[in-house]
Amino acid sequence: MLSVKDLSVAFKTRKGEVNAVRGVSFDVGKGETLGIVGESGSGKSVTSYALMRILDAGGEIRTGDVVYGGIDLRAASETNMRDIRGREISMIFQNPRAALNPIRRVGHQVEDVLIRHAQATLQTAKAKAIAALEAVKINDAAARYEAYPFELSGGMCQRIVIAIALACKPQLLIADEPTTGLDITTQKAVMDLVGDLTKERGMGMILITHDLGLASQYCDRIVVMKDGLIVEVGEPKTLFTDPQHAYTRKLVDATPRLGASIRNLLPPEARRPEPRHKVHNRPLLEVRDLVKTYPGKTGPIQAVKGISFDIKAGQSLGLVGESGSGKSTTSEMIVRLQDPTSGNILFDGQDIAATPSARFMRHAVRRDIQMVFQDATDSLNPRSTAASAIAEPLARIDRMRGAKLTARVSELADLVGLPQPLLSRFPHQLSGGQKARVGIARAIALEPRLLILDEPTAALDVSIQALVLNLLVDLRAKMGMSYLFVSHDLNVVRLLCDEVLVMKQGEIVDRGPTATVMDTPSHPYTRALIEAAPQPPRSIAA
Amino acid sequence: MADMTASQQPKTAARKGDTTLGHIAYVLKDNPVTMLAFAMLAFFLGCAFFGPALVPYDPLATNGARALQPPNWDHWFGTDNLGRDVFSRVVVATRLDLTISVAAVALSFVIGSVLGSIAGYWGGWLDAVLNRCLDTIMAFPLFVLAMGVVAALGNTVENIIYATAIINIPFYARLVRAEVNIRRNAGFAQAAKLSGNSDLRVLAVHIFPNALPPMMVQVSLNLGWAILNAAGLSFIGLGVRPPTPEWGIMVAEGANFIVSGEWWLAVFPGLWLMLAVFTFNLLGDGLRDIVDPRKRT
């Protein structure tokens, strides 16, 4: 149905030309789902934009043929392309909120595309739009028709985007990271919906994702891209069990999965035995009846509803939940960036919740509880070099100065595997993985006893995630730190944590040793989370 | 896209822009317009510092015999009705006009930054009160407000500076408030708190400097406005008094003679004024690039 031959795309930039896609060829058959998998910068999104001819300014298709159902998309006029987009080939984007017009009712946005492609008249548009919303399983579609995007959840917005994309019954759907940023149960619901709809209608689909596990679950065939080239094509199962290309092997290895240890995520030559960490029986942190209430428009909102738990010295505790479960609020209260409404936080027996967060920086325990933030880019001051970011806690709390400070900073850089020359760089001159290392170095600079990790790998590519997780395991053994690992990704929590708490709507619904909770979940919500996590086929490379 | 390629080629970063001076040189070389703006700024600064020592005539000395001469080789910009050399007066006035505008902008920059930072960081009732006060200032026609301030406080150079500063404060406060507000819960601000910084330090050392790039554009535009404002006040007779050379007064006095054909009295100070404002307007982008570390690639 769609055939791409030797496609090359180049971007003109101030620093000369960048070849984003370098001779890519693939076909998509009728009713087939093709996955394009690659890490950031691999050119997977650019490929799809080139097919739709919606490249950014400066981007140009250099060579190659793109033929869809006998039409040469590269030669088609812009007017023809406008007819094709939406009616023949549709696209759903990564951020559903950004893809919807924030000040128009969602129903009207569905109508727009119907009217544009003459699938409906002004009189019939509303009924057809509601039907399109019902097709993506939106309950009470007639009421949702009137809603604005901000009134809907992320998952609901993505359904609307899918409704718009499918409204004119296109033959091919391009989904560019459709579930990134959505909760894991929402991801499953959205992907199942897209899968069912395309199957029902016999549509072709191109699923672009960085998640090999997700692709293997929903795709018939997978194309692996790296640096603008296709390195391997194959069926999900063969790709996992017998990856041919070294890069595919690396990706397969790095994807967290059942039965793999944390060292298995690394390429075989980098695997060293996993160091053991010692868990003491004495509790380091005791949280008792912790409550956080926010004032809301319609009365107070209870974000955290009286939770209690312990972290033993040296232990790694996983805190799992979806957005809105209160896990971030909990971690911010423990790290003393927020004040609890009530309850106690005992650190080494001392109630640290008694000191307000605004004055906590002078508290003796400040140095013992540090945090690695979710978004490494956001957590580094754009005006500070890597060295000054790492030096900040040392200079402020330990009053370290001069040569001693410089020596300690470079020692920390070695510890987290950050090359010394990078220390003088600004954050925008570092890659995602390097920024994550700077964030970790800063957090461990004072040798804290408790380190809170707030989804430290959520924004990283899987191969970088594998490196960072292993770094955390090494550091834990070396420094005897306790971890509170906040995540929505159960596969990752399983690798790193001794015990796990599952939070839902401000309450702890499940808890226990990680293996017990994961293998024999007692609470239905835990079971739902585990089932929603994409599970790649078992590979022989263990 | 530019950002992406910038991070793809980090090797060039180590070479260039490591030092502040090197970075300034790079910014100037990168953009000819910036280069021109800085050259013109250097010229005006030269006039301000050395002008009084270099001009051919005493700007206040009258010479009845040579009154109202058109531009010639002795008097490049001609002479006025008292026989004073217009060129000397225009050049000497640079110091006064630049002093007024720089002092006024510096004052409004500092006060506006403090007020805006506080409002943006702590929010709440403080934010509301400050915002309403600024709204009140902005509700006045600004030039009329400046006239009122000078008329009430008295006709001195300091009062022109205060008046110009007051009408510019809301622009800075608004800008800083917005820039601080979007960053107050940023990860790096929270990380700074974990590193033992107090709220005040987080605000001053970590958040506020990130507002500098857009501020610099505002500063350069404001320098131009401030010169126009000071000249305008002098033009209508408030502010600097004759016979002190000042562009606004010279234009005002010269305007009386345009009808009778002595155009050079108003045109040359006017052109000079225009060039100065133009320079500051061009300066904005360059200043922003200099204070923005992200340009150091």
Side-chain angles (χ1 to χ4, degrees), chain A residues 466-488:
Chain A
L467 294 173
V468 169
L469 290 177
N470 276 285
L471 169 66
L472 291 171
V473 166
D474 290 338
L475 289 174
R476 169 172 71 185
K478 214 175 280 179
M479 299 170 67
M481 285 184 284
S482 302
Y483 285 168
L484 176 62
F485 191 88
V486 182
S487 183
H488 68 276

Side-chain angles (χ1 to χ4, degrees), chain B residues 134-146 167:
Chain B
L134 297 174
D135 284 346
T136 315
I137 295 182
M138 291 193 65
F140 284 100
L142 293 180
F143 191 71
V144 176
L145 179 65
I167 63 173

Side-chain angles (χ1 to χ4, degrees), chain B residues 65-121:
Chain B
R66 312 198 83 174
L68 289 176
Q69 284 191 354
N72 55 53
W73 285 116
D74 284 343
H75 301 281
W76 293 352
F77 291 180
T79 58
D80 66 4
N81 55 330
L82 299 174
R84 293 176 297 197
D85 180 43
V86 175
F87 175 71
S88 304
R89 288 175 64 77
V90 165
V91 172
V92 169
T94 310
R95 182 183 290 183
L96 180 61
D97 278 280
L98 283 193
T99 309
I100 292 174
S101 69
V102 170
V105 168
L107 207 59
S108 45
F109 179 90
V110 172
I111 297 174
S113 299
V114 171
L115 295 182
S117 301
I118 291 171
Y121 191 76

